[in-house]
Amino acid sequence: MLSLVVLISGGGSNLRALLEAAEDAEFPARVVAVGADRDAEGFEHAERYGIPTFSVALSNFTDRESWGDALLEQVQLWNPDLVVLSGFMKLLPPRVVAALAPNLINTHPAYLPEFPGAHAVAEAVEAGVSKTGASVIVVDNGIDSGPIISQERIAILPGDTEATLHDRIKPVERRLLITAILDIANGDIDLKELA
Ligand code: GAR
């Protein structure tokens, strides 16, 4: 059974999907704690499942490195097999990545390497392209530049806004994330080989 710490920043709809999947006794992973860089709205999903939460805000630290060290300490308290960034909107300092990788994965609402960064969906709409996608990657020190675990194309429809497109991307992200966790747990994906 794979133990997961999930890091979020926002509403945590992907986290909720993961918690629902983990309700199935056959699902080979369990969320042991949920962390955030703020008092995230998505904590409510963890609380509903009785899963502990922790928040480490960058604004409480003088520099990113000490913030990262404090966040890492909280994560490591749970000794997770895998850390999942699920809408975590801060770049992790290199020391954190070095401590957790390759058992550190991220979901992203674009077909990487297209549209990396925090505004991937808006940028895809603005670019006027006909398709974007969703990706699950191993985290490295770049911005959404790590090895790709899985990804899928999603069409951009005439009249799509950031909100309508993101609503269609998220279910795909959830499916890719849950499948990736299954494959990692079953040994069908070896993160060490990918990284
Ligand atoms: C998701 O689409 C996730 O891929 C994206 O934030 C959303 C969070 O939604 N992450 C990034 O853009 C990271 N670069 P959620 O809080 O409802 O799960």
Side-chain angles (χ1 to χ4, degrees), residues 82 101-106 136-140 145-151 180-181 183-184 187-195:
L82 183 69
N103 300 311
L104 177 61
I105 67 172
N106 182 31
V136 178
I137 62 169
V138 183
V139 177
D140 68 4
S145 57
I148 290 162
I149 298 172
S150 57
Q151 58 186 169
I181 290 170
D183 289 345
I184 294 164
D188 293 332
I189 288 177
D190 183 346
L191 293 175
K192 280 193 210 74
E193 262 175 31
L194 271 180

Side-chain angles (χ1 to χ4, degrees), residues 74-104:
Q74 289 295 315
V75 168
Q76 286 181 328
L77 279 179
W78 299 97
N79 200 22
D81 298 311
L82 183 69
V83 177
V84 180
L85 307 186
S86 183
F88 186 71
M89 302 306 277
K90 291 261 185 318
L91 203 59
L92 290 172
R95 263 207 303 263
V96 181
V97 175
L100 300 175
N103 300 311
L104 177 61

Side-chain angles (χ1 to χ4, degrees), residues 6-125:
V6 181
L7 297 182
I8 62 170
S9 293
S13 64
N14 288 345
L15 163 70
R16 188 186 60 216
L18 190 52
L19 291 167
E20 283 167 9
E23 275 198 300
D24 182 344
E26 306 271 288
F27 191 74
R30 292 287 176 271
V31 179
V32 294
V34 175
D37 60 318
R38 64 196 75 187
D39 186 17
E41 212 184 297
F43 277 164
E44 68 177 282
H45 306 304
E47 281 152 13
R48 191 165 321 122
Y49 284 83
I51 291 166
T53 61
F54 59 87
S55 141
V56 184
L58 178 57
S59 55
N60 291 337
F61 295 83
T62 49
D63 57 79
R64 296 184 64 83
E65 282 65 35
S66 25
W67 165 72
D69 292 344
L71 181 69
L72 179 63
E73 198 181 313
Q74 289 295 315
V75 168
Q76 286 181 328
L77 279 179
W78 299 97
N79 200 22
D81 298 311
L82 183 69
V83 177
V84 180
L85 307 186
S86 183
F88 186 71
M89 302 306 277
K90 291 261 185 318
L91 203 59
L92 290 172
R95 263 207 303 263
V96 181
V97 175
L100 300 175
N103 300 311
L104 177 61
I105 67 172
N106 182 31
T107 66
H108 186 74
Y111 199 85
L112 289 167
E114 298 168 8
F115 307 113
H119 308 289
V121 183
E123 284 170 11
V125 172

